[in-house]
Amino acid sequence: MRDSFEISSSSGSYPVVSGAGLLAELVAERPDAVFLVDARLEFRLPAAVAKRVVIEANEDNKSLERIPDIILKLREHGINRASHLVAVGGGVIQDIATFAASIYMRGIPWTYMPTTLLSMADSCVGGKSSINVIGYKNLVGNFYPPVQVLIDLDFVASLDSEQIVGGLYEAVKICYAMGKQEFLAYLSEASRPPISAFGAQRVVMRALRAKKWFIETDEFDQKERLLLNFGHTFGHALESGTGFGVSHGIAVGIGMLVAIEYARCRNWLSPIGTDVTNQLRDYVRSLLGEGANRVARCPPKINLARVNEKFNNDKKHRSDSYRMVVPWQDGALELVSEPRGESVRRDIAHAFESVFNEVGWSFLSD
Amino acid sequence: MRDSFEISSSSGSYPVVSGAGLLAELVAERPDAVFLVDARLEFRLPAAVAKRVVIEANEDNKSLERIPDIILKLREHGINRASHLVAVGGGVIQDIATFAASIYMRGIPWTYMPTTLLSMADSCVGGKSSINVIGYKNLVGNFYPPVQVLIDLDFVASLDSEQIVGGLYEAVKICYAMGKQEFLAYLSEASRPPISAFGAQRVVMRALRAKKWFIETDEFDQKERLLLNFGHTFGHALESGTGFGVSHGIAVGIGMLVAIEYARCRNWLSPIGTDVTNQLRDYVRSLLGEGANRVARCPPKINLARVNEKFNNDKKHRSDSYRMVVPWQDGALELVSEPRGESVRRDIAHAFESVFNEVGWSFLSD
């Protein structure tokens, strides 16, 4: 069943459509488009697609140093300002496509087809890109929304349970950020893997409609939209502190647990806030061991000093304070600034350590 | 004397201020800003400027492959989203600064101080960048206006006559594009080198106020603003066909002569149009030999086949037609499409050749 809505942005509005068979329809409609596709998914492209740029979706290729190669390939395909680009893949492909489409001849129109649950439920709307530069993760990027987002549910069947859990973590994060009512509505559907195409559509469209509010209210990440960083500052530290041994979605789930733990230690939560954050914690923890996912089978070993160091260096902090999104009082999210200093650093390290213990992950010394 | 006005853009409005002593004022106001400066002008920066990124202003450095180095230097200076960037230089520095400021942490605010007459009179407003990619000139770019443009007239005294003529060519191009009345008003001031700071201010602010109309009407180069490409498609072919032996401003002047010649050959001009284009032609030709400029002292030798080939490959054309801005009927500019084919190619080659003969430039065989 098709379901769709519109997102408004400063560069015009664009539709978000979900349903089955959208890739085949798009190819029939735009046989001349250039398809920028994740190498693992190239086999899904119909033979009719003549112009292809095939990319290994990894952090190395999501870098400013590699963008010239992509641009050259577009040039070799004869792409001009009247051409259309279609990106087929998860977040890494989306980042590369957003950036390349935005700068090629100062911007060409593009369509995004997210293929992971995480990109379907979260990143596909909002128009952001994040690009690495010589070892600095996500140091550059921009805003350049596609002209349409097409969520082809046929991709759902190919996802493993770790990818599904990661997507659900981002989805529940958005609904939690939206408020208690939206969060409880989300929980009442109790999404967990394995997930059907129809189940994915429900959770994806619920999360995206909630995210629509944030990005239309604050397109350029000045205020409200920053609350969607819930779980991300702690999560990024875990991702990069383990050399990306923990995937983004899983790291966001763990990051939300750390944020809750930090708020709990600081006595910021009322009894109501404790209750609602407990529900979120239980949901996140219950998914972590779900299915045959990699972190359940083979839990990462954590170098706590390194994770704390990565947290310390996050670009979202200020020179004199840490900035983090945490549940507050009755559980609503707040962006708080905590002065950089020994006691705050100790509490942060303690929150990380408690959560790693809680989920049964062991520690490495340096 | 200070003179200023505002430009509206989709990302907010920004002031354009001209006057003397603006650099010193800015340094006093923003001692913590990072200054991205043309190596030839670094000596103009007060010692108080601690954060500097010094760049040789050349085509190699204006490339996507070199942008990571600039980004790293910003990172090493500890630049974050709350920081301010100031760019001091001509068009190349502007291109690099626009691009780097737009992508660094998804965009930081910046101030532009143009230092050549060409960047003062034309490129400093409009927010465009043009960046080379592995040998393709200006293949990528974007739109990211500064928060203010400060035209410090103290830089005018350091300009040589070739730079002044190049700036005047862009200035007269804008005024001509605006219409006959604006063009005649421009001519009545009869700007020519040498030029005083006050004379530069008059011509610069006249041209920028005219350009304001184009960029506010058509910020993203869809229609009206394309008329400002007058002289540019022919001019770019001359620049790149001579391996950049002819500077941009001079090439635009010659490019306008070629466009006029092409329109004349095709009988597109009425008697009124012939008269007004003759006035433009006389002004452009009279400046060409002015002062001690390089093209007057040492005229380039032209490889006509190469110039025609570069024209043929310009990215602004379509696959089945050439697109060029030419004077039409009573002399107003039009963007015309001419079918790619032998007779059009011959007429274009003829227009180039006539103009090169007219200005006394000789030819090279391949």
Side-chain angles (χ1 to χ4, degrees):
Chain A
M1 199 183 69
R2 295 284 155 97
D3 184 14
S4 67
F5 65 95
E6 291 271 325
I7 303 255
S8 299
S9 85
S10 65
S11 49
S13 74
Y14 56 97
V16 179
V17 181
S18 61
L22 296 176
L23 176 59
E25 278 177 29
L26 183 67
V27 171
E29 193 185 311
R30 295 191 179 276
D32 264 0
V34 58
F35 280 68
L36 199 151
V37 61
D38 182 335
R40 284 167 295 198
L41 297 171
E42 197 201 350
F43 76 97
R44 308 280 295 247
L45 290 190
V49 175
K51 296 178 185 166
R52 302 166 177 225
V53 177
V54 180
I55 299 174
E56 305 274 345
N58 58 42
E59 290 290 321
D60 278 353
N61 283 335
K62 199 194 85 163
S63 70
L64 193 52
E65 303 90 279
R66 298 288 173 83
I67 297 291
D69 298 340
I70 309 288
I71 298 295
L72 269 196
K73 285 179 184 156
L74 297 177
R75 184 69 182 72
E76 284 161 9
H77 281 303
I79 302 308
N80 62 37
R81 287 171 180 163
S83 304
H84 196 91
L85 183 149
V86 177
V88 180
V92 167
I93 298 297
Q94 179 185 3
D95 283 322
I96 295 170
T98 303
F99 198 82
S102 74
I103 66 173
Y104 190 80
M105 296 188 176
R106 288 199 201 94
I108 58 173
W110 71 294
T111 292
Y112 180 41
M113 303 199 82
T115 59
T116 60
L117 194 64
L118 200 150
S119 57
M120 291 178 182
D122 181 16
S123 69
C124 70
V125 303
K128 265 191 206 178
S129 72
S130 301
I131 299 285
N132 306 327
V133 184
I134 320 185
Y136 287 99
K137 184 163 165 66
N138 296 346
L139 182 57
V140 301
N142 61 356
F143 295 87
Y144 191 73
V147 297
Q148 58 182 347
V149 175
L150 301 180
I151 302 170
D152 189 335
L153 300 168
D154 296 342
F155 286 106
V156 172
S158 64
L159 301 175
D160 67 31
S161 69
E162 181 170 349
Q163 290 176 302
I164 293 171
V165 169
L168 294 175
Y169 283 166
E170 289 279 16
V172 71
K173 174 210 73 177
I174 298 168
C175 295
Y176 188 91
M178 193 68 190
K180 189 172 176 180
Q181 192 183 347
E182 189 63 24
F183 171 56
L184 295 179
Y186 175 93
L187 281 190
S188 71
E189 294 181 358
S191 297
R192 23 189 4 103
I195 199 165
S196 66
F198 181 61
Q201 187 180 34
R202 269 191 316 172
V203 66
V204 159
M205 296 305 269
R206 171 182 293 285
L208 292 179
R209 285 190 166 97
K211 185 166 176 181
K212 170 182 160 78
W213 181 83
F214 286 97
I215 60 187
E216 288 183 350
T217 305
D218 174 24
E219 182 174 356
F220 297 114
D221 253 350
Q222 300 300 305
K223 190 161 173 246
E224 292 83 355
R225 190 170 172 179
L226 292 173
L227 297 182
L228 296 180
N229 283 328
F230 182 36
H232 277 66
T233 310
F234 296 111
H236 283 155
L238 175 59
E239 271 183 276
S240 59
T242 57
F244 302 95
V246 178
S247 65
H248 179 71
I250 301 296
V252 167
I254 301 291
M256 290 191 286
L257 299 185
V258 178
I260 293 169
E261 178 62 19
Y262 186 80
R264 200 193 59 72
C265 292
R266 298 298 303 269
N267 282 314
W268 285 340
L269 293 167
S270 71
I272 292 175
T274 302
D275 175 63
V276 67
T277 54
N278 279 346
Q279 292 187 67
L280 176 58
R281 199 182 57 177
D282 291 348
Y283 178 71
V284 170
R285 288 183 57 181
S286 75
L287 287 186
L288 197 62
E290 194 73 58
N293 85 55
R294 187 173 51 132
V295 284
R297 274 183 293 117
C298 178
K301 285 193 161 50
I302 301 296
N303 179 327
L304 197 60
R306 183 168 303 235
V307 170
N308 280 307
E309 181 206 326
K310 293 291 182 180
F311 179 86
N312 203 41
N313 294 330
D314 193 284
K315 70 172 184 283
K316 293 186 288 296
H317 299 314
R318 295 281 181 261
S319 55
D320 56 352
S321 60
Y322 298 110
R323 281 153 60 91
M324 43 194 160
V325 176
V326 292
W328 182 261
Q329 295 290 337
D330 288 355
L333 297 180
E334 285 280 340
L335 175 61
V336 300
S337 288
E338 291 275 87
R340 282 182 191 260
E342 205 36 60
S343 88
V344 168
R345 254 195 294 279
R346 205 172 42 233
D347 288 347
I348 289 167
H350 171 77
F352 270 119
E353 197 174 348
S354 301
V355 169
F356 296 145
N357 276 321
E358 193 182 300
V359 299
W361 291 359
S362 56
F363 297 96
L364 269 180
S365 54
D366 217 344
Chain B
M1 198 184 67
R2 295 284 156 97
D3 184 14
S4 68
F5 65 94
E6 290 271 326
I7 303 254
S8 299
S9 85
S10 64
S11 50
S13 75
Y14 54 97
V16 179
V17 181
S18 61
L22 295 177
L23 176 59
E25 279 177 31
L26 182 67
V27 170
E29 194 185 310
R30 295 192 180 276
D32 264 1
V34 58
F35 280 68
L36 200 151
V37 61
D38 182 334
R40 284 167 295 197
L41 297 171
E42 197 201 350
F43 75 97
R44 307 281 293 250
L45 290 190
V49 175
K51 296 178 185 166
R52 303 168 176 223
V53 177
V54 180
I55 299 174
E56 305 274 345
N58 58 42
E59 289 290 321
D60 277 353
N61 283 334
K62 199 193 85 163
S63 70
L64 193 52
E65 303 89 279
R66 297 288 172 84
I67 297 291
D69 300 340
I70 308 289
I71 298 294
L72 269 196
K73 284 177 185 157
L74 297 177
R75 184 69 182 74
E76 285 160 9
H77 281 304
I79 301 310
N80 62 37
R81 288 172 178 161
S83 305
H84 196 92
L85 184 149
V86 177
V88 181
V92 167
I93 297 297
Q94 179 185 3
D95 283 322
I96 295 171
T98 302
F99 198 82
S102 75
I103 66 173
Y104 190 80
M105 295 188 177
R106 289 197 202 96
I108 58 172
W110 71 293
T111 293
Y112 181 41
M113 303 199 82
T115 59
T116 60
L117 193 65
L118 199 151
S119 57
M120 291 179 182
D122 181 16
S123 69
C124 69
V125 303
K128 264 191 208 178
S129 72
S130 302
I131 300 285
N132 306 328
V133 184
I134 320 184
Y136 287 100
K137 184 163 164 69
N138 296 347
L139 182 57
V140 301
N142 61 358
F143 295 87
Y144 191 73
V147 298
Q148 58 182 348
V149 175
L150 302 180
I151 302 170
D152 188 335
L153 301 167
D154 296 342
F155 286 105
V156 172
S158 64
L159 301 175
D160 66 30
S161 69
E162 181 170 348
Q163 291 177 302
I164 293 170
V165 169
L168 294 175
Y169 283 166
E170 289 280 14
V172 72
K173 174 209 73 176
I174 298 169
C175 295
Y176 188 91
M178 192 69 191
K180 189 172 177 179
Q181 191 182 350
E182 189 63 25
F183 171 57
L184 295 179
Y186 174 95
L187 281 189
S188 71
E189 294 179 358
S191 298
R192 26 188 3 104
I195 198 165
S196 67
F198 180 61
Q201 186 180 35
R202 269 190 317 171
V203 65
V204 159
M205 296 305 268
R206 171 181 293 286
L208 292 180
R209 285 191 166 95
K211 186 167 175 179
K212 170 183 161 76
W213 180 84
F214 286 96
I215 61 187
E216 288 182 350
T217 305
D218 175 24
E219 183 173 357
F220 297 113
D221 253 350
Q222 299 301 304
K223 190 162 175 245
E224 291 84 355
R225 190 170 172 179
L226 292 172
L227 297 182
L228 296 180
N229 283 329
F230 181 37
H232 277 64
T233 308
F234 296 111
H236 284 155
L238 175 58
E239 270 183 277
S240 58
T242 56
F244 302 94
V246 178
S247 65
H248 179 71
I250 301 296
V252 167
I254 300 292
M256 291 191 286
L257 299 185
V258 179
I260 292 168
E261 178 62 19
Y262 186 80
R264 200 194 58 71
C265 292
R266 298 297 302 269
N267 281 314
W268 284 341
L269 293 167
S270 70
I272 293 175
T274 301
D275 175 64
V276 67
T277 54
N278 279 345
Q279 291 187 68
L280 176 59
R281 199 182 59 178
D282 291 347
Y283 177 71
V284 169
R285 288 183 57 180
S286 75
L287 287 187
L288 197 63
E290 195 72 58
N293 85 55
R294 188 173 50 131
V295 285
R297 274 184 293 118
C298 176
K301 285 194 160 51
I302 301 295
N303 180 327
L304 197 59
R306 182 166 305 234
V307 170
N308 280 309
E309 181 205 326
K310 294 290 183 181
F311 179 86
N312 203 41
N313 293 330
D314 192 284
K315 71 172 184 281
K316 294 187 288 296
H317 300 315
R318 296 282 180 260
S319 54
D320 57 351
S321 61
Y322 298 109
R323 281 153 59 91
M324 45 194 160
V325 177
V326 293
W328 183 261
Q329 296 291 336
D330 287 356
L333 297 180
E334 286 281 340
L335 175 62
V336 301
S337 287
E338 290 276 87
R340 283 183 191 259
E342 205 36 60
S343 88
V344 168
R345 255 195 294 278
R346 205 172 42 235
D347 287 347
I348 289 167
H350 171 77
F352 270 120
E353 197 174 349
S354 301
V355 169
F356 296 145
N357 276 321
E358 192 182 301
V359 300
W361 292 359
S362 56
F363 296 96
L364 269 180
S365 54
D366 217 345

